[in-house]
């Protein structure tokens, strides 16, 4: 391959990244839910919008690295750019993967974007709120869980939280006599 043909390969790869990235970004939460969190006791796996943003940033880094590689001629600099961009890509992508709420019949697992993962049993839940959108505000439907140690987190009632999953949540709340408030 001649140097010009090899350099044009970077443009082709950059365009390929731009074309494929949206599909990968949108399918990643579903794939993670099916592969990693597929369990008979699973109530729901909720991925956050910030995760999609992190995946997009990772692919943007890959795109920029390919464009920079087109202009760089020094082999040592190219290797350095490839290593840095691969490390950055995987670090940012894995950060997006680790931001979720997993509701299981036995426990609740929350992994914030930055911070450590917490796992609570349903009996440790002290308060649950279900906020419904009221036609006038732009707020989305979401839940707020507060635990006995004061820790609380909020998550949207996304498409992965269907009627059956909400029913299982309500059943768990009733089973453990957890105060539940529905607000519209």
């Amino acid at each position: 391959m001649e140097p010009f043909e090899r350099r044009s390969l970077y443009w082709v790869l950059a365009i390929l990244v731009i074309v494929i990235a949206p599909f990968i970004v949108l399918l990643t939460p579903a794939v993670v839910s099916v592969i990693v969190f597929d369990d008979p006791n699973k109530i729901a796996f909720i991925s956050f919008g910030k995760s999609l943003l992190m995946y997009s940033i990772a692919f943007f880094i890959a795109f920029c690295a390919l464009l920079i590689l087109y202009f760089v001629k020094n082999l040592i600099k190219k290797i350095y750019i490839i290593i840095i961009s691969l490390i950055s890509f995987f670090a940012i992508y894995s950060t997006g993967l680790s931001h979720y709420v997993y509701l299981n019949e036995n426990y609740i697992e929350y992994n914030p974007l930055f911070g450590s993962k917490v796992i609570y049993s349903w009996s440790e839940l002290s308060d649950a709120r279900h906020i419904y959108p009221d036609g006038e505000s732009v707020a989305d439907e979401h839940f707020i869980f507060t635990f006995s140690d004061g820790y609380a987190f909020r998550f949207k009632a996304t498409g992965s939280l269907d009627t059956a999953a909400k029913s299982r949540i309500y059943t768990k709340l009733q089973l453990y006599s957890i105060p539940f408030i529905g607000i519209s």
Side-chain angles (χ1 to χ4, degrees):
M1 215 186 253
E2 291 183 28
F4 179 74
E5 291 174 357
R6 197 173 323 138
R7 286 183 62 208
S8 64
L9 181 65
Y10 295 125
W11 280 106
V12 171
L13 289 175
I15 291 170
L16 192 62
V17 164
I18 291 298
V19 170
I20 293 175
F23 298 109
I24 295 174
V25 166
L26 293 175
L27 290 177
T28 297
V31 170
V32 169
S33 174
V34 169
I35 292 175
V36 178
F37 294 101
D38 193 24
D39 180 340
N41 292 327
K42 172 180 147 183
I43 295 175
F45 172 80
I46 298 108
S47 181
F48 292 94
K50 290 178 186 172
S51 294
L52 298 177
L53 178 65
M54 297 305 283
Y55 306 147
S56 299
I57 291 170
F59 278 104
F60 181 73
I61 287 172
F63 174 76
C64 290
L66 289 167
L67 290 181
I68 291 169
L69 287 172
Y70 176 79
F71 295 106
V72 174
K73 294 183 181 175
N74 185 332
L75 182 63
I76 302 296
K77 288 181 182 177
K78 283 187 179 193
I79 292 171
Y80 180 73
I81 290 169
I82 290 170
I83 290 170
I84 296 297
S85 61
L86 283 174
I87 290 170
S88 300
F89 176 87
F90 287 116
I92 293 172
Y93 201 84
S94 65
T95 301
L97 285 173
S98 65
H99 185 45
Y100 61 85
V101 171
Y102 176 61
L103 304 174
N104 188 297
E105 288 289 335
N106 304 317
Y107 61 90
I108 301 165
E109 184 176 321
Y110 173 63
N111 200 350
L113 189 59
F114 300 107
S116 58
K117 174 172 57 174
V118 293
I119 299 175
Y120 290 100
S121 68
W122 284 92
S123 62
E124 294 176 280
L125 191 59
S126 65
D127 180 32
R129 296 173 188 255
H130 187 181
I131 314 295
Y132 300 95
D134 65 352
E136 294 176 12
S137 70
V138 293
D140 294 325
E141 178 183 7
H142 59 275
F143 283 88
I144 301 172
F145 284 178
T146 306
F147 296 91
S148 55
D149 64 356
Y151 190 81
F153 64 86
R154 167 190 300 227
F155 61 94
K156 287 184 182 180
T158 62
S160 60
L161 201 60
D162 59 4
T163 307
K166 288 178 189 176
S167 175
R168 290 171 72 184
I169 291 171
Y170 299 144
T171 302
K172 283 292 185 185
L173 296 175
Q174 289 175 346
L175 177 68
Y176 290 104
S177 301
I178 298 166
F180 175 73
I181 300 170
I183 303 170
S184 60

